[in-house]
Amino acid sequence: MSETFYHKITDEQWKIIEPHLPKPKSTGRPALNSRTVFNAIFWVLDSGAKWRYLPKEFGNWNSIYHKFRKWCELGVFEKILQSLVENTRKYFLIEMDSTFCKVHQHAAGARKILGNQDIGISRGGKTTKIHALVNEHFQLVSVELSGGNIHDSEMAIKLLSKVTLDGKKILADKAFCSEEIRNFISQEKAGACIPDKSNAVVIHEFDEELYKARNIIERFFQCLKNFRHIATRYDKLSECFLNFVLLAAVIIKI
């Protein structure tokens, strides 16, 4: 495949990424070049191709894959993303929503002892849901995976618990209008901008103008799915797929 098939990390982007990568060992076999490895992982994310189809310019595909797994274990992509959020100016809005990803047949086959790996069966067949919180600066601040058959509201408190909510406004659609979620947001000293269902007994205050900002997370999901490895899930393991989501979120913001 041509070298121009994908976008490489620029020098400016690399300055942001490099400090968060593990330092190569000074003894033993020469380590793989970290920038080459990162570009190779980016190629898989962008193309949706199998690891074994990595262009020869990157080196041995199996070595790249094992380096990717190592970085997943060390939380490298999550650290890069957190640094972007921490270094940005303050944010006051958090949009909450989820999106479905079709699961490719090759993503099945993880050992049963490992569980369902966030793959569920719904009307669309086998799917995985990405549950996310995104701020007004188009940054992913919290993410969880579930099977596609899991209702959005079941993951809401787990998502929100990972973020400091004090003083912030939470924007979400009617799927999140339960009293349990509203009470949790209130306890965390945040405000809720969530419309009530048409059959709601108790009507809550709702800012329609502020709610329009929820388009941010919809556009974020659209950008996320521009990466073919996210639009369709090929990974057997949730850990791998989740880290590709984190990497895509990093690329979107740098």
Side-chain angles (χ1 to χ4, degrees):
M1 290 191 181
S2 160
E3 187 178 343
T4 58
F5 180 76
Y6 71 106
H7 305 289
K8 291 183 178 180
I9 298 298
T10 65
D11 291 340
E12 289 301 313
Q13 291 171 328
W14 186 242
K15 287 178 184 177
I16 298 170
I17 293 165
E18 188 178 20
H20 304 283
L21 300 180
K23 293 182 179 179
K25 294 180 180 178
S26 57
T27 58
R29 185 181 300 179
L32 296 171
N33 181 279
S34 294
R35 187 165 180 174
T36 300
V37 171
F38 200 96
N39 277 325
I41 297 169
F42 186 11
W43 184 90
V44 173
L45 170 70
D46 202 21
S47 68
K50 296 179 180 180
W51 286 98
R52 63 180 68 249
Y53 293 159
L54 270 169
K56 292 181 179 179
E57 66 185 87
F58 296 119
N60 183 280
W61 70 268
N62 196 42
S63 298
I64 301 290
Y65 171 71
H66 283 291
K67 179 67 76 172
F68 169 71
R69 290 299 306 277
K70 185 66 176 177
W71 285 358
C72 291
E73 290 174 13
L74 295 173
V76 167
F77 304 109
E78 185 174 6
K79 288 175 184 174
I80 299 170
L81 188 60
Q82 286 177 346
S83 72
L84 291 174
V85 176
E86 290 169 1
N87 291 336
T88 193
R89 57 192 185 279
K90 291 183 179 180
Y91 61 94
F92 304 99
L93 299 181
I94 296 178
E95 293 85 40
M96 178 166 56
D97 208 346
S98 72
T99 188
F100 284 96
C101 295
K102 186 74 175 176
V103 174
H104 193 272
Q105 61 183 358
H106 293 165
R111 287 183 295 171
K112 290 184 179 180
I113 195 173
L114 298 175
N116 68 3
Q117 294 298 304
D118 298 310
I119 297 175
I121 300 176
S122 57
R123 266 187 278 179
K126 289 186 176 181
T127 52
T128 290
K129 255 186 185 181
I130 301 172
H131 303 264
L133 301 181
V134 176
N135 65 25
E136 68 264 38
H137 305 310
F138 219 63
Q139 294 171 320
L140 180 67
V141 294
S142 181
V143 63
E144 292 285 343
L145 300 181
S146 78
N149 56 314
I150 302 300
H151 194 272
D152 288 359
S153 61
E154 294 182 43
M155 302 297 293
I157 292 177
K158 187 176 182 180
L159 265 179
L160 293 167
S161 299
K162 297 167 71 174
V163 181
T164 301
L165 303 180
D166 191 0
K168 295 180 173 56
K169 204 78 171 178
I170 314 302
L171 281 62
D173 62 23
K174 293 180 181 181
F176 301 94
C177 73
S178 74
E179 288 301 320
E180 182 183 9
I181 295 172
R182 290 182 186 275
N183 289 338
F184 179 82
I185 292 171
S186 179
Q187 288 168 10
E188 296 297 311
K189 300 179 181 178
C193 184
I194 305 173
D196 290 299
K197 290 183 179 179
S198 56
N199 61 349
V201 177
V202 179
I203 304 300
H204 300 86
E205 184 180 345
F206 175 62
D207 188 334
E208 292 187 16
E209 278 302 311
L210 182 63
Y211 187 72
K212 291 177 182 178
R214 213 182 67 81
N215 74 84
I216 293 170
I217 194 166
E218 301 293 350
R219 291 189 286 115
F220 175 82
F221 283 143
Q222 186 178 28
C223 290
L224 203 62
K225 288 185 172 182
N226 280 338
F227 298 102
R228 298 185 68 187
H229 205 91
I230 306 298
T232 302
R233 173 177 169 171
Y234 299 100
D235 299 289
K236 287 183 172 67
L237 301 178
S238 281
E239 180 188 33
C240 293
F241 184 62
L242 177 60
N243 276 275
F244 271 118
V245 172
L246 295 172
L247 173 58
V250 168
I251 300 299
I252 287 170
K253 278 311 297 177
I254 61 174

